[in-house]
Amino acid sequence: MIDARIRSMFPPAGDVADRVDSHWQLLLVVGSVVWLVVVTAMLVAVLRRRRAEREERDDDVPGDEPGRGHLVVAFLGGVAPALIILGIMADSVLTLRDTGAATDASRAPVVVEVDGRQFWWEVRYPDHDVETANEIHIPTGQDVRIELTSDDVIHSFWVPQLAGKVDLVPGRTNVLTLHADEPGTYWGRCAEYCGLQHAWMRFVVVAHDAPEYAGWLEAQARPARSPDRVDDGDDQPGGDETGGDDGPGAGPDTEVAAGREIFMSSSCVYCHTIAGTEARGTLGPDLTHLASRQAIGAGVLPNDRESLARWITEPQDVKPGNAMPGTELDDDELDALITYLESLE
Ligand code: HEC
Ligand SMILES: [Cu+2]
């Protein structure tokens, strides 16, 4: 799950990132010029001093006579740095204004609440009753207002290609704007040391064009697909309380139902929510549409059967110090449980 792009802000992929990029270019150019001037001045000073010493020895005449030197020193040592720092400060303030958009909620039609947890990200869409984890979907070409909170320690939200870092501080809400020009997947990570698994507190931002984004939202807003629907007779013409399990496709569906039973009768329900079921825990990620996500454990493993098996049986080996305890299950139970989790699309 490691991707080189996770560490780089290049190439910037949207308005906000472009603004950060141009500020960075300014710092690079000014910093380079200042460095060159200082190093050159140092070299000149050393060389002149040597020459002066040599001349002093040769002529026995006292060297330095005060000249325009102090003016040069006053300018290079006082006026120039003050001007440079003021200029950089002005551009920093303007960059903050352009990238923060903290006060102007109306500019951002899409609002996403992100809660930093040790060591994963809870992601909510308050206007759509959608909750997910470690994966933020946004529409392209629009400002997205990300509202950042934390209940435990300070984290920092950073998607290098899309925007700068903003801290998640317990007791307050910080805001950041994301803007992606092109559809794509952009890596993000926690950028403030927050405990043992800080390095595995990653996430992805997936940018879609508008119709695809709407489709994603709609799918996420639905309650979990449930094997009971067959028994409920809601969707199934003629399906009655009797013998739903014997219908066509009974094989996989019975395994899904068995897995669901195991989930609902295990400790899982104390920590995880699956919308449309009695599982209502909030300590861990919402699993309603787990199967639609690319990774589990905030990027530590890909989302496939083998990884789910490892994660459920030994989460403390995979990600030592995370808040999920291992669960002992026999092979059949584990298989059924995973089949159920994989049905949660
Ligand atoms: C004590 C609380 C707790 C219990 C009990 C628990 N989990 Fe978790 N679970 C968590 C936490 C916390 C995480 C996130 C860990 C992280 O990424 O740092 C998690 C993550 C997961 C994930 C990965 C989700 C994602 O999107 O990254 C799956 C799948 C999962 N748990 C399944 C289960 C199953 C199945 C059970 C029952 C056998 C279970 N959990 C029991 C707390 C719990
Ligand atoms: Cu962290």
Side-chain angles (χ1 to χ4, degrees):
M1 299 310 291
I2 297 176
D3 187 309
R5 283 174 305 165
I6 194 163
R7 280 178 232 101
S8 177
M9 60 177 264
F10 300 109
D15 282 358
V16 181
D18 285 346
R19 191 65 188 84
V20 175
D21 180 51
S22 57
H23 185 60
W24 182 84
Q25 306 273 2
L26 177 79
L27 293 181
L28 179 69
V29 170
V30 172
S32 306
V33 171
V34 168
W35 182 83
L36 267 178
V37 169
V38 168
V39 169
T40 316
M42 253 167 55
L43 283 176
V44 169
V46 167
L47 293 176
R48 282 178 64 176
R49 177 84 200 150
R50 283 207 183 149
R51 209 178 53 200
E53 276 173 5
R54 222 178 313 130
E55 283 168 3
E56 251 173 72
R57 248 180 290 133
D58 295 350
D59 313 353
D60 245 342
V61 184
D64 294 333
E65 32 178 299
R68 296 165 294 113
H70 63 283
L71 277 180
V72 175
V73 169
F75 181 76
L76 283 182
V79 179
L83 287 177
I84 291 170
I85 288 171
L86 272 177
I88 286 178
M89 196 180 87
D91 196 60
S92 301
V93 170
L94 292 177
T95 305
L96 270 182
R97 188 200 60 187
D98 294 348
T99 58
T103 48
D104 193 0
S106 58
R107 250 187 66 204
V110 183
V111 177
V112 185
E113 295 172 354
V114 175
D115 197 16
R117 313 277 293 260
Q118 281 170 316
F119 303 98
W120 56 283
W121 306 85
E122 185 173 296
V123 179
R124 296 181 301 261
Y125 292 71
D127 303 334
H128 302 274
D129 210 12
V130 164
E131 185 170 332
T132 180
N134 307 323
E135 202 166 285
I136 301 171
H137 290 247
I138 62 173
T140 51
Q142 289 193 46
D143 281 354
V144 178
R145 180 182 159 93
I146 308 279
E147 299 185 349
L148 301 163
T149 53
S150 166
D151 283 332
D152 43 46
V153 297
I154 299 178
H155 304 277
S156 183
F157 181 93
W158 189 35
V159 196
Q161 279 187 282
L162 294 183
K165 295 171 192 165
V166 173
D167 281 3
L168 299 84
V169 182
R172 53 170 297 152
T173 303
N174 286 341
V175 179
L176 155 119
T177 303
L178 288 186
H179 185 114
D181 289 336
E182 299 292 332
T185 300
Y186 305 96
W187 279 94
R189 65 186 317 176
C190 180
E192 176 74 51
Y193 180 74
C194 58
L196 210 52
Q197 288 301 331
H198 164 64
W200 282 115
M201 191 168 161
R202 300 183 175 181
F203 60 99
V204 286
V205 173
V206 185
H208 307 276
D209 53 27
E212 229 183 83
Y213 172 70
W216 178 84
L217 259 186
E218 198 191 302
Q220 296 287 315
R222 272 187 235 126
R225 196 185 85 89
S226 158
D228 311 333
R229 296 238 181 97
V230 181
D231 306 282
D232 290 340
D234 281 341
D235 313 327
Q236 211 73 357
D240 214 25
E241 295 298 311
T242 53
D245 280 351
D246 299 321
D253 256 5
T254 40
E255 200 179 24
V256 171
R260 184 175 183 274
E261 200 48 46
I262 292 162
F263 189 95
M264 297 307 157
S265 56
S266 304
S267 57
C268 322
V269 291
Y270 298 121
C271 296
H272 293 287
T273 291
I274 297 181
T277 74
E278 59 269 37
R280 287 261 153 257
T282 55
L283 239 82
D286 188 300
L287 301 180
T288 308
H289 297 287
L290 173 72
S292 72
R293 302 206 276 268
Q294 303 176 9
I296 57 173
V300 74
L301 291 174
N303 188 0
D304 55 33
R305 284 194 80 92
E306 200 189 327
S307 308
L308 282 167
R310 265 190 76 197
W311 178 262
I312 292 165
T313 49
E314 47 197 34
Q316 294 302 322
D317 275 7
V318 178
K319 196 173 171 180
N322 91 81
M324 174 160 153
T327 303
E328 271 188 37
L329 295 166
D330 68 37
D331 287 353
D332 288 347
E333 288 174 328
L334 187 60
D335 247 20
L337 178 58
I338 292 171
T339 303
Y340 171 57
L341 292 176
E342 288 209 312
S343 77
L344 301 172
E345 281 163 358

